[in-house]
Structure formats: C-alpha cells, structure tokens
C-alpha cells in the first residue's frame, strides 16, 4: 500500500470529488436528496465542484459564483450535514494526508455549518413571513 500524499493537483481534486460524490449518490440518507436535486446534471455539478475546490485549495481561480443559493431550498437538517461531513472526512482520509487535506476538511466543516445555519435562518424567516401575512 503506497503512503498517502497530500492534495496537490487538479487530478487529486477530481479524485476526491468523484470518490466523495459517488459515495454520496449511493448513501441511503443523503443520496436521494442529491439525486433528486441534481438529476442528470451530475457531470455539470462535478465540474463545478472541481473548480470550487481547486480555487480553495490550489488557489487556481477556476470557480466563480456563490455556493449557497442553490442549496437554500433543500429539504435538509443538521443530520444531513453531519452525514455529508462524515462521508467527506472518510473519503479525504482514505485518499490523502497532509496540510491541504486538513484544509479541505476544515473548509468543508465550516461550509456545512454555514449552510445549515443559513438554511435554518431562511426557513425561519419564511415561516415568520407566512405567520404574519
């Protein structure tokens, strides 16, 4: 078994993203949410994720846009983010080791927490508007 290396190239990022999302697609808990939302647009979604992680980890600016809006209306709760995170950490640890691998896990955790917080926030704001109208 070869020792694990850090995430260093776009090929490494593609390996991480592809391995991660293939696990997500098969996951009984969060898979159906992703598959329903993304449908047959997986290649497009994966391309976007390559750019996103390449921008964050390798400082190659290949992603532009805002990652949150497409997630705003998803029917998810903290348990879904916890499961997403669990798969992300397992995937990263099985493939890579090093400071960028650690950075990827930290960024993923911060993003999961922020998305969860924002989705809750929007949900509550919408509930309050509905209650007051």
């Amino acid at each position: 078994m070869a020792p694990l290396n850090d995430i260093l190239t776009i090929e490494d990022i593609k390996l991480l993203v592809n391995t991660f999302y293939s696990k997500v697609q098969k996951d009984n808990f969060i898979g159906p949410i992703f598959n329903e939302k993304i449908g047959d647009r997986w290649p497009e979604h994966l391309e976007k994720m390559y750019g996103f992680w390449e921008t964050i980890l390798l400082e190659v600016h290949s992603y532009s846009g805002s990652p949150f809006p497409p997630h705003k209306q998803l029917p998810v709760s903290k348990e879904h983010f916890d499961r997403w995170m669990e798969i992300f950490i397992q995937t990263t640890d099985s493939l890579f080791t090093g400071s960028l691998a650690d950075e990827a896990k930290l960024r993923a955790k911060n993003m999961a927490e922020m998305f969860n917080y924002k989705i809750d926030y929007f949900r509550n704001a919408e509930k309050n508007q509905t209650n007051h109208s």
Side-chain angles (χ1 to χ4, degrees), residues 53-62 107:
W53 287 106
E54 186 181 32
T55 300
I56 285 182
L57 297 175
L58 305 182
E59 294 177 9
V60 175
H61 297 288
S62 51
R107 293 299 191 101

Side-chain angles (χ1 to χ4, degrees), residues 86-105:
E86 198 182 313
I87 298 171
F88 190 87
I89 288 171
Q90 283 169 353
T91 305
T92 307
D93 287 346
S94 71
L95 297 169
F96 302 104
T97 184
S99 59
L100 285 177
D102 291 343
E103 177 73 6
K105 290 181 285 188

Side-chain angles (χ1 to χ4, degrees), residues 5-17:
N5 296 317
D6 205 354
I7 299 168
L8 301 171
T9 65
I10 184 64
E11 295 314 314
D12 292 339
I13 284 175
K14 287 181 177 179
L15 176 64
L16 174 63
V17 167

